[in-house]
Amino acid sequence: RSSRVQWLSSLEPTHVERTAALDLEPFFLRDIAPGGPGLVLGGKRFARGLCMAPRVRATYALTPGAFAVLETTIGIDERSGGPADAVFRIRLDDVLVFEREHVRTGTLEELRIPLRDARRLTLEVDFGEHFDLGDHCAFGGARLLKT
């Protein structure tokens, strides 16, 4: 409820690109995972966030200077039943600013990424081992913050 915070799940992406591995269109969910409401990472429940299956690339328009940082916790939703292995990427204006390979169930990483004067933010999850089986890729608490 603060003007200093904007939840990504409350924003409409300008573009969502989906590439299926095995004939099933990958999901792009807000504030819910296939296992139920919210997201569960490292034993912590996030009421807000994004959950996607590889390969999904979601792009958001930014107003330069409106927000200073992106904060989120990445991982695989713990209610996923598959082997899970995915790649997470974050781009600002098409420049790769974060990449983590082999994100698996139990992997948890808190991110704080300066937005600078970016006009576009892109969150991407990509295929790791096992294609997309169990890859319930979560951006827990994904939010834009003013400093």
Side-chain angles (χ1 to χ4, degrees):
R1 295 186 166 215
S2 169
S3 63
R4 300 178 59 83
V5 176
Q6 179 68 62
W7 298 101
L8 280 185
S9 61
S10 69
L11 297 175
E12 192 64 40
T14 56
H15 183 71
V16 177
E17 177 185 331
R18 303 170 198 236
T19 305
L22 304 169
D23 296 334
L24 294 175
E25 184 170 304
F27 56 81
F28 174 77
L29 305 171
R30 299 174 195 186
D31 302 332
I32 192 168
L39 306 168
V40 181
L41 301 168
K44 182 177 178 184
R45 179 175 286 280
F46 293 86
R48 307 295 300 259
L50 303 171
C51 189
M52 328 175 185
R55 176 172 176 274
V56 170
R57 181 183 291 173
T59 300
Y60 296 86
L62 300 176
T63 301
F67 293 95
V69 296
L70 163 70
E71 285 188 347
T72 188
T73 302
I74 64 164
I76 303 295
D77 186 87
E78 292 177 6
R79 297 165 293 180
S80 167
D85 183 276
V87 179
F88 282 66
R89 294 186 189 100
I90 299 175
R91 291 182 169 83
L92 295 173
D93 293 333
D94 299 324
V95 175
L96 185 66
V97 295
F98 174 82
E99 181 176 48
R100 183 71 64 234
E101 296 180 351
H102 303 298
V103 176
R104 298 180 172 118
T105 305
T107 302
L108 184 72
E109 189 166 351
E110 294 182 10
L111 304 178
R112 183 176 172 89
I113 297 177
L115 298 174
R116 300 181 212 79
D117 289 323
R119 294 184 178 277
R120 282 182 320 282
L121 166 66
T122 303
L123 305 179
E124 178 181 345
V125 295
D126 204 348
F127 304 109
E129 296 175 12
H130 319 297
F131 289 105
D132 61 354
L133 300 175
D135 291 351
H136 298 176
C137 302
F139 291 86
R143 61 203 173 272
L144 305 174
L145 298 173
K146 292 182 181 182
T147 55

